[in-house]
Amino acid sequence: MTATVTPAPGAAPGIAAAAPVIRRRLDRDDVLMRLGIALLIAWLAFTLALPLWSLLSKSFQDRDGAFVGLANYIEYFSTPALFASVFNSLEVAVLSTAIVLPLAFAYAYALTRTCMRWKGLFQALALIPILAPSLLPAISLIYLFGNQGILKELLLGGSIYGEGGIVLAQVFYCFPHALMILVAALSMADARLYEAAEVLGASRLRVFFTVTLPGAKYGVISAGFVIFTLVITDFGIAKVIGGRFNVLATDIYKQVIGQQNFEMGAVVGMVLLVPAIVAFAADRIIQRRQTALLSARAVPLDPKPAPPRDWGMFAFCGVVGGLIFGVLAMSFWASLITRWPYNLSLTLNNYAFGNFDTNGWETYWNSLTLSAWTAGVGTVVIFVGAYLLEKSRGFPVGRAIAQFMAMLPMAVPGLVLGLSYIFFFNARWNPFGFLYATLAIMVLNSITHFYTVCHLTATTALKQMDPEFEAVSASLKVSLLRTMARVTVPVCLPAIFDVSIYLFVNAMTTVSAVIFLYSTDTKLASVTIVNMDESGFTAAAAAMAMTIVFTSAAVKVAHLLITRKLEGTTQAWRRR
Amino acid sequence: MTQDKSTPYLRIERLTKQFGTFTALKDISLEIFPGEFICFLGPSGCGKTTLLRAIAGLDIQTSGRIFQGGRDISALPSSQRDFGIVFQSYALFPNLTVAANVGYGLVSRGLPRVEIETRVNDLLRLVGLPDSGPKYPAQLSGGQQQRIAVARALALSPGLLLLDEPLSALDARVRAHLRVELRRLHQRLGVTTIMVTHDQEEALTMADRIVVMNHGVIEQMGSPTEVYRKPASAFVADFVGTTNFLPAVVAGPDHVRLGEINLACELSVNIGPGQDVTLAIRPEDVVVRNISPTTPNTFEARVAEIEFLGSFCRVGLAINGGDPALLADFSINAVRDLSITEGKVMPVALPPDRLRVFVRPPQAP
Amino acid sequence: MSHPSFGRLLAGAAAIAATALVADPALAQRTKITVYTALENDQLGPYKQAFENDVKDVEIAWVRDSTGVITARFLAEKDNPRADIIWGLGASSVALFDSMKLLEPYTPKGTDTLKAAFKSPTAPMAWTGMDAWLAVICYNTVEGKKKNIPAPATWADLTKSVYKNEIVMPNPASSGTGYQQVYAWIQMMGEGPAWNYMDKVHDNVAVYTHSGSAPCVQAGKGERVIGIGFDMRGAREKTQGAPLDVILPKEGAGWDMEATAIVKGTKNMEAAKKLADWAITKQAYELYGKFYAIVGLPGMNPAPPNYPPSADAAMIKIDVAKMGQDRDRVLKEWTKRYDIKSAAK
């Protein structure tokens, strides 16, 4: 780093353009940052790019590992039974999206734009499903509408097993995800626009269609894509309640676990990757068009009471919230029943997981361990990664690569990632093969699976910081590490907590990402739910699902308390 | 300050900065002497901040060199240069107290606690906020935050103080007050200071020398009086203060025609007769009192509109029988004495030494 | 955080390093072997204890999962095997491994006394059988009475229209038990008639489950009246209180056995052989007999509770190796016939 001034190539002397190009000398912080970015790229390559690459190459091989070109794909697309799943998956995803979007929009509208009572309660209630594994609503629905279900008559002879059941369960599962986005979108509103519309004599309906809806447009689109991706990549629901209705996610499982046909599993994985990536790319492109609708001068909207609307919304939220509560309560009740439907006396026996699964409660502790490691390691890696990308200068190629790879996991379904890990970590040449079948590989997998959302959260927090902190530090001869420790991390602490809690809860509930990766010692609670349900121990499966809900809820409450306490101490500066 | 005032403290040689195909700075050369207060003035996008950031090493130039105190710092990273910086946002660390902010650079120098405390107190007293140490930045007003940022920038006694639009986030009254404060501080400490601003009034009142920039080049460099009185280009005349621009044609040596009116003025040698030029004169230079038949450049004008501005009136004058084309600032006295009212036709004069002639109008690059 | 974790991983690595450096003879005495198994939870403890009691210098480390998962895992690891030996995995899976040359041929001591079906036909043997379980029909007596659906006595009964939408059976594409059932029908009836038969049964099937245990459990819960499953699961459900009849159809029944086989490339060949030998001792078969009605040693007639009065006689003739070879073809046909129909529902 001593040659700082190099003449421009082919420069002719005496012409202004021939002035030597200056290259900035790197100081310790620069070197550290670049090293960090290189490490980040290596990390993401190792946990994401290379596994996906091995999946891709596997889909072009036969069972003996010989390259067969497109043969597997040709077989896939010429087998109607397999191919039909593509349409089934799309159909379920579109249906679920079409149902969840208006419901969640109305619910979010009630929470943000009305003077309805009990908003806090309704909001909390609607967000609970996020804490539950996706299998929980499916299990509840079987108890409610299955052949021995308590509300079976409501189906008028129809069956809950199949497409209808999948869609219903998905609606429950996706609702809070959409709700969060829409609440955020609807919270941002400029009261002046509404005043203007009112002054101009626009009717309520007209105001809704000309002001409210356009204002929340990007939130609606984003929520739509999120639901679509969640549904199409979810594995648990279709497995439990899908009956004879095949979707892509269960096809992968069938190919790999049922038939040990890894190559075809890889093909289905690649097929599943397509709609997810298309949805993700479309969302990105549309979001890019979003300009700041909200100027800095916007006046926050304070809803005014309007009894007919408020009570109408109250009734609506009461029904939706009641359904959510009903589904949760059903699982809880079912988990306490001795022998459905013949012996309805209450028991805690279903929580003695050792009777239903070899590993019993151990799987729960494994899940806690996994979640703790995922939250711990993941938060550090993701936050430092976001910091490097946000705050470093120069090295544009490296940053672009890392940024792309940080956004990619959003589009990679958990099953696909999990399958790709099998291939990658089992390859004979891989020196990290020792990670195979350990808890560590599931930690890596979970961090990668949930990387993007956390990365975006961290990036948003970092963007809100003054971009000149680093320049000031440099002028004061203070190293970046020190500034990071003294300023960046303390200021971003709420976001850091959000990231870690997100990782924790998701690692507790995820099934699809780890279903191929666990081993006897490291079996997880969420996988145990699948296995117990598969073996018919539905009550025990419900019990484990409820155990996860209670754990996640406890962690969430602890998080809220800690955040509140933090605000009292380390975040004192936020108060005026 | 023991610096030799005749050798430049900061020397910038042929600096060019490219962002892709866009050239932000074109071949800039500049010398700044010890203890000077320099303003980089220009509209947004003119390259003034880019130049400041190049000096700070935050955005390194594409080519060209920078010497500070005789040392070639062209390629040095910020951390190895000697400067303190204040940003428009102040960039105060929100989670640290005022004292911790000011002492931020001192702590990592490993100075003893007591020494740091003394220095911080000195600095806080210097910026006039001796009791604010235990407060958080959010508890201070914008003006107070700005002064804390200055104190922090001065903590390590840098050889060069860089101010990037330090006053633009404040309201007018505080801004006017802080202008004076900053200027006083500079006079007391004598630290070489560069301030970036788009506010010409700020530059005129504070700077020893102003560097007027536009489209990545220096349009003019000089004392506030020079820049104001003798703008080197139509752009400078337009950007600094208010100027009338009148289209004219060169009529002969030292003469131009403004419609029917013949005006004497100083022409640079290379403008030949018949060429279109732009004539510039500031409103306050239009003479209305004491006009005699011998006063040069006198002609009749009609008062088209009068705008009352407190201590003076801005009068729109129609010449050659057309629309109002010439703005003139007349004192309240003059307006009263000469009973200037709308519609009045009266003689006005444009003193030849106040007329500037430019080949290009102000909008052209 | 005291559970399997990075800590344990590091400790493991450290331990390996330590043994390599010190080569402590006391540690080296007991060889730890990795055993892949699909045995039930409650079998693992007694099996391990009994074996380690007899063979002092070998220690068992179980890797246990369902048949499908263990099979998938073993195949995923075929380039880089992690198991030393398989003890208690479906013979059809083991036969598949054999056809892929992933097993170490070894004839354990004492094979002469075994029933013929419990010996792999090659010499030296690729695997030996432990116990066998039979396909059965689980019939919910309470729901049957309520809905007026009679108990079936034969496989043929299942085609009757009275069972419409009341039968649940494992999906052969995702469950080993399911495939074993389908293959058994093909063996019993011949390929053409078997497909005709399945066409009719398919009309009555409500759901194909992904697991072999699920049908009897679902029948036990009354979710369906009839589950096509296997004897051990049905007996267990009944023992736990489910209103089930576990019916052995008159035509005879398909079966699968659990087998023992040494993994090719094991680094603990001696220890693996000791386990393979022990797995066919009389003691071992007595142990198996506590859980299964059919074991590989003739003359023993174990009778675990609630099993259908069974006999070796009910076992139809099945060529396990051929069953493995035909798998892809049969599944393809099955998927074409029934998976697509169900998807279009």
Side-chain angles (χ1 to χ4, degrees):
Chain A
M1 251 145 277
T2 46
T4 55
V5 180
T6 46
I15 300 171
V21 170
I22 301 279
R23 271 180 222 289
R24 186 163 163 279
R25 246 184 257 174
L26 303 179
D27 62 10
R28 239 189 49 201
D29 286 339
D30 290 313
V31 175
L32 216 60
M33 283 250 191
R34 281 170 199 217
L35 209 66
I37 290 181
L39 276 175
L40 180 69
I41 292 175
W43 171 281
L44 287 168
F46 177 67
T47 58
L48 178 71
L50 292 175
L52 285 180
W53 174 253
S54 40
L55 177 77
L56 181 69
S57 46
K58 194 83 179 176
S59 72
F60 292 109
Q61 291 172 3
D62 66 9
R63 283 195 184 194
D64 299 321
F67 181 80
V68 291
L70 287 170
N72 293 326
Y73 288 87
I74 292 166
E75 191 188 336
Y76 179 84
F77 285 106
S78 56
T79 311
L82 291 173
F83 189 44
S85 300
V86 177
F87 296 103
N88 287 352
S89 278
L90 288 176
E91 195 177 304
V92 167
V94 169
L95 268 176
S96 308
T97 310
I99 296 172
V100 173
L101 259 192
L103 281 181
F105 187 90
Y107 205 95
Y109 185 87
L111 291 178
T112 52
R113 300 291 179 87
T114 70
C115 293
M116 179 180 75
R117 277 161 181 254
W118 300 352
K119 277 189 197 174
L121 176 79
F122 280 128
Q123 179 143 15
L125 187 60
L127 292 182
I128 294 179
I130 278 194
L131 307 175
S134 66
L135 298 106
L136 184 140
I139 290 171
S140 280
L141 285 176
I142 289 178
Y143 278 108
L144 288 167
F145 300 109
N147 293 343
Q148 294 291 344
I150 47 177
L151 301 175
K152 183 175 184 287
E153 281 67 34
L154 290 183
L155 292 182
L156 304 171
S159 168
I160 194 69
Y161 295 97
E163 192 174 6
I166 297 180
V167 170
L168 271 183
Q170 292 290 5
V171 166
F172 175 89
Y173 172 62
C174 297
F175 185 78
H177 293 269
L179 184 68
M180 282 203 295
I181 297 171
L182 292 171
V183 164
L186 285 168
S187 304
M188 291 191 299
D190 189 346
R192 295 173 310 166
L193 288 176
Y194 288 86
E195 281 160 12
E198 204 174 322
V199 170
L200 291 169
S203 70
R204 288 212 159 189
L205 204 65
R206 183 128 183 262
V207 172
F208 179 82
F209 281 108
T210 54
V211 182
T212 310
L213 209 52
K217 184 171 66 182
Y218 290 100
V220 173
I221 293 171
S222 201
F225 284 122
V226 164
I227 303 167
F228 182 86
T229 312
L230 275 177
V231 175
I232 211 157
T233 58
D234 178 75
F235 158 74
I237 288 177
K239 180 144 193 317
V240 171
I241 205 168
R244 285 161 30 169
F245 191 81
N246 293 325
V247 294
L248 288 172
T250 46
D251 276 0
I252 297 188
Y253 186 75
K254 256 197 275 184
Q255 289 296 335
V256 173
I257 301 296
Q259 301 172 29
Q260 295 91 40
N261 189 343
F262 293 93
E263 295 69 27
M264 196 49 80
V267 170
V268 186
M270 296 314 290
V271 171
L272 184 53
L273 207 49
V274 172
I277 283 188
V278 168
F280 169 73
D283 186 39
R284 281 281 119 191
I285 289 166
I286 292 169
Q287 298 300 334
R288 203 168 291 164
R289 276 199 224 143
Q290 179 171 24
T291 43
L293 285 169
L294 210 61
S295 65
R297 286 157 177 266
V299 179
L301 182 72
D302 218 2
K304 295 186 201 76
R309 178 200 63 191
D310 292 349
W311 285 107
M313 280 305 185
F314 183 82
F316 169 77
C317 289
V319 170
V320 173
L323 288 176
I324 292 171
F325 182 78
V327 168
L328 280 167
M330 185 66 236
S331 268
F332 186 49
W333 185 41
S335 76
L336 296 173
I337 283 180
T338 311
R339 187 164 189 95
W340 187 274
Y342 302 114
N343 182 354
L344 295 186
S345 59
L346 298 184
T347 174
L348 281 175
N349 284 349
N350 294 320
Y351 286 82
F353 299 125
N355 295 342
F356 310 100
D357 188 273
T358 319
N359 303 80
W361 273 94
E362 192 192 326
T363 64
Y364 173 75
W365 301 113
N366 283 342
S367 273
L368 278 186
T369 315
L370 169 82
S371 299
W373 276 102
T374 303
V377 177
T379 307
V380 172
V381 170
I382 294 169
F383 185 79
V384 171
Y387 178 85
L388 289 169
L389 292 183
E390 196 53 37
K391 301 292 179 189
S392 65
R393 285 171 301 156
F395 203 20
V397 178
R399 282 164 59 187
I401 294 174
Q403 184 68 30
F404 174 76
M405 287 204 286
M407 296 305 294
L408 191 59
M410 182 93 110
V412 180
L415 276 176
V416 175
L417 193 65
L419 190 57
S420 70
Y421 268 44
I422 297 193
F423 300 144
F424 178 63
F425 285 97
N426 233 328
R428 198 177 295 189
W429 52 265
N430 192 330
F432 291 94
F434 66 87
L435 288 175
Y436 179 77
T438 61
L439 196 73
I441 196 176
M442 288 193 284
V443 170
L444 289 182
N445 183 270
S446 300
I447 293 172
T448 311
H449 186 199
F450 305 116
Y451 198 100
T452 308
V453 172
C454 300
H455 175 72
L456 289 175
T457 308
T459 304
T460 308
L462 287 166
K463 272 193 199 299
Q464 282 166 354
M465 301 225 322
D466 195 303
E468 309 296 5
F469 282 167
E470 284 66 31
V472 167
S473 302
S475 79
L476 294 173
K477 319 285 182 271
V478 178
S479 74
L480 280 182
L481 277 180
R482 195 180 162 79
T483 299
M484 189 169 167
R486 279 204 70 193
V487 180
T488 317
V489 169
V491 170
C492 292
L493 213 51
I496 292 174
F497 267 110
D498 283 348
V499 166
S500 57
I501 212 79
Y502 180 89
L503 286 172
F504 187 95
V505 168
N506 276 290
M508 275 309 280
T509 56
T510 186
V511 176
S512 62
V514 292
I515 191 85
F516 294 130
L517 296 177
Y518 72 90
S519 77
T520 317
D521 286 351
T522 58
K523 196 164 166 184
L524 302 174
S526 55
V527 173
T528 309
I529 301 178
V530 176
N531 288 356
M532 290 193 298
D533 174 80
E534 195 172 76
S535 314
F537 305 125
T538 322
M544 186 62 100
M546 287 316 292
T547 310
I548 290 179
V549 173
F550 288 132
T551 307
S552 299
V555 170
K556 189 85 196 165
V557 168
H559 168 232
L560 284 176
L561 293 178
I562 291 171
T563 311
R564 198 163 293 170
K565 188 142 171 37
L566 267 182
E567 270 164 10
T569 54
T570 65
Q571 307 283 307
W573 51 270
R574 285 189 196 274
R575 284 185 308 227
R576 285 224 161 207
Chain B
M1 292 288 142
T2 53
Q3 291 147 317
D4 177 2
K5 304 269 177 194
S6 60
T7 41
Y9 176 64
L10 191 75
R11 205 168 81 236
I12 292 164
E13 279 179 7
R14 314 202 60 178
L15 215 64
T16 294
K17 171 74 185 175
Q18 306 230 270
F19 291 110
T21 56
F22 173 71
T23 307
L25 294 176
K26 281 176 218 156
D27 208 16
I28 301 271
S29 293
L30 181 65
E31 288 186 339
I32 293 169
F33 294 91
E36 270 197 303
F37 194 120
I38 299 289
C39 275
F40 292 170
L41 175 67
S44 61
C46 71
K48 57 188 191 299
T49 298
T50 310
L51 182 55
L52 188 87
R53 293 180 72 87
I55 293 169
L58 297 171
D59 288 319
I60 216 93
Q61 67 277 16
T62 311
S63 66
R65 327 198 86 192
I66 304 175
F67 299 87
Q68 183 180 7
R71 186 165 72 127
D72 185 349
I73 59 165
S74 311
L76 291 185
S78 302
S79 57
Q80 290 166 24
R81 300 189 185 198
D82 176 22
F83 70 96
I85 191 162
V86 176
F87 290 101
Q88 185 178 354
S89 62
Y90 320 134
L92 291 177
F93 303 127
N95 61 320
L96 303 182
T97 61
V98 165
N101 263 287
V102 175
Y104 196 73
L106 298 168
V107 172
S108 29
R109 292 230 153 154
L111 295 180
R113 237 183 119 96
V114 187
E115 212 169 302
I116 293 174
E117 224 165 272
T118 317
R119 177 89 178 122
V120 167
N121 286 336
D122 286 350
L123 285 161
L124 289 178
R125 210 169 307 124
L126 184 72
V127 297
L129 294 166
D131 303 322
S132 60
K135 292 182 183 166
Y136 285 108
Q139 294 165 316
L140 303 181
S141 72
Q144 290 171 325
Q145 290 185 31
Q146 199 271 343
R147 284 190 274 175
I148 300 302
V150 172
R152 183 178 65 180
L154 291 172
L156 298 184
S157 309
L160 183 63
L161 180 61
L162 303 176
L163 309 170
D164 185 5
E165 305 249 12
L167 303 176
S168 62
L170 302 169
D171 61 51
R173 193 179 283 269
V174 181
R175 196 154 62 204
H177 174 67
L178 276 178
R179 239 156 41 195
V180 181
E181 292 269 304
L182 267 180
R183 182 74 192 150
R184 270 193 206 140
L185 197 66
H186 173 254
Q187 275 159 356
R188 242 167 89 190
L189 299 175
V191 55
T192 312
T193 303
I194 301 175
M195 181 170 97
V196 161
T197 180
H198 62 270
D199 182 341
Q200 41 113 0
E201 208 178 308
E202 219 165 273
L204 291 173
T205 51
M206 296 175 78
D208 292 327
R209 279 196 300 151
I210 298 175
V211 177
V212 187
M213 298 181 65
N214 190 29
H215 293 295
V217 297
I218 295 178
E219 293 268 343
Q220 187 172 10
M221 212 178 331
S223 70
T225 331
E226 277 170 347
V227 168
Y228 192 83
R229 283 281 157 231
K230 299 214 161 96
S233 67
F235 168 79
V236 176
D238 189 34
F239 192 75
V240 181
T242 312
T243 302
N244 289 294
F245 290 101
L246 305 164
V249 182
V250 178
D254 298 341
H255 271 277
V256 297
R257 288 193 68 80
L258 179 66
E260 304 292 305
I261 306 162
N262 223 335
L263 294 174
C265 59
E266 290 167 21
L267 278 180
S268 31
V269 278
N270 56 352
I271 308 175
Q275 192 173 339
D276 289 335
V277 290
T278 299
L279 211 53
I281 187 162
R282 299 208 180 269
E284 68 269 26
D285 289 337
V286 177
V287 175
V288 69
R289 279 175 187 270
N290 304 328
I291 296 181
S292 68
T294 56
T295 311
N297 293 353
T298 304
F299 52 89
E300 294 275 304
R302 185 174 59 81
V303 176
E305 49 200 21
I306 300 180
E307 194 185 352
F308 175 65
L309 289 169
S311 58
F312 67 95
C313 283
R314 181 154 287 177
V315 176
L317 298 170
I319 50 178
N320 292 328
D323 293 330
L326 186 63
L327 292 180
D329 290 350
F330 297 147
S331 71
I332 299 295
N333 276 338
V335 172
R336 196 170 46 225
D337 295 353
L338 300 173
S339 0
I340 297 174
T341 51
E342 277 181 23
K344 179 180 170 109
V345 176
M346 59 183 187
V348 295
L350 308 181
D353 63 329
R354 295 285 189 237
L355 276 173
R356 308 278 301 173
V357 178
F358 302 111
V359 178
R360 283 187 213 99
Q363 295 85 355
Chain C
M1 296 314 106
S2 61
H3 270 273
S5 63
F6 282 65
R8 180 184 279 197
L9 189 80
L10 285 177
I16 291 166
T19 35
L21 286 172
V22 187
D24 186 340
L27 275 176
Q29 270 179 2
R30 236 159 109 86
T31 312
K32 197 167 183 171
I33 51 173
T34 304
V35 183
Y36 276 28
T37 186
L39 291 171
E40 293 296 319
N41 179 21
D42 45 0
Q43 291 161 250
L44 299 184
Y47 285 25
K48 176 179 159 90
Q49 206 183 356
F51 168 71
E52 286 174 3
N53 240 359
D54 286 359
V55 184
K56 301 273 187 221
D57 57 349
V58 181
E59 189 187 343
I60 287 177
W62 295 112
V63 173
R64 189 262 163 206
D65 217 307
S66 73
T67 307
V69 173
I70 280 290
T71 308
R73 184 157 171 184
F74 186 84
L75 288 176
E77 296 165 357
K78 69 177 174 357
D79 294 335
N80 200 4
R82 315 209 177 216
D84 293 310
I85 187 167
I86 292 161
W87 189 25
L89 182 66
S92 46
S93 285
V94 175
L96 177 70
F97 301 160
D98 185 29
S99 72
M100 294 173 79
K101 306 269 175 284
L102 300 176
L103 301 177
E104 179 74 34
Y106 170 68
T107 308
K109 294 173 201 122
T111 48
D112 342 328
T113 52
L114 298 190
K115 296 175 189 168
F118 288 73
K119 295 190 270 194
S120 85
T122 52
M125 289 179 189
W127 49 265
T128 53
M130 299 155 60
D131 49 68
W133 40 261
L134 287 169
V136 295
I137 296 172
C138 290
Y139 168 78
N140 187 311
T141 51
V142 174
E143 298 298 318
K145 192 179 267 175
K146 217 191 287 176
K147 297 181 178 173
N148 218 0
I149 297 171
T154 63
W155 292 117
D157 284 347
L158 295 181
T159 59
K160 290 178 181 164
S161 60
V162 65
Y163 298 115
K164 188 149 186 86
N165 266 332
E166 291 299 346
I167 298 177
V168 52
M169 76 169 271
N171 186 329
S174 45
S175 153
T177 316
Y179 174 63
Q180 176 262 342
Q181 184 60 61
V182 168
Y183 196 75
W185 284 330
I186 291 175
Q187 288 275 303
M188 282 188 275
M189 306 175 194
E191 182 130 10
W195 287 119
N196 283 339
Y197 169 76
M198 280 186 269
D199 285 347
K200 289 184 201 130
V201 173
H202 176 70
D203 288 338
N204 290 343
V205 169
V207 171
Y208 293 100
T209 65
H210 294 303
S211 137
S213 326
C216 278
V217 177
Q218 287 203 4
K221 286 195 297 187
E223 191 67 19
R224 314 282 172 193
V225 178
I226 287 173
I228 300 176
F230 56 94
D231 52 7
M232 188 194 74
R233 178 58 60 198
R236 234 173 226 234
E237 283 295 304
K238 194 169 176 179
T239 310
Q240 285 173 7
L244 280 184
D245 267 357
V246 183
I247 299 163
L248 197 58
K250 291 207 173 74
E251 298 98 324
W255 50 270
D256 201 351
M257 68 172 68
E258 276 163 322
T260 311
I262 299 176
V263 179
K264 185 171 264 178
T266 169
K267 293 181 193 73
N268 299 307
M269 184 60 79
E270 284 317 304
K273 282 180 177 169
K274 282 177 190 166
L275 177 52
D277 288 343
W278 191 86
I280 57 163
T281 56
K282 184 146 190 294
Q283 276 154 291
Y285 281 114
E286 275 165 3
L287 205 51
Y288 306 154
K290 288 186 183 158
F291 301 94
Y292 297 93
I294 304 169
V295 295
L297 209 57
M300 297 173 65
N301 286 306
N306 284 319
Y307 269 66
S310 94
D312 294 37
M315 286 171 76
I316 61 162
K317 217 173 142 54
I318 289 180
D319 179 345
V320 175
K322 193 160 180 307
M323 179 169 157
Q325 286 157 22
D326 287 350
R327 190 154 179 255
D328 275 357
R329 185 180 58 80
V330 171
L331 286 186
K332 208 168 205 170
E333 178 68 22
W334 190 91
T335 308
K336 202 173 85 190
R337 280 173 182 258
Y338 309 123
D339 235 10
I340 186 173
K341 198 169 158 195
S342 61
K345 183 173 118 179

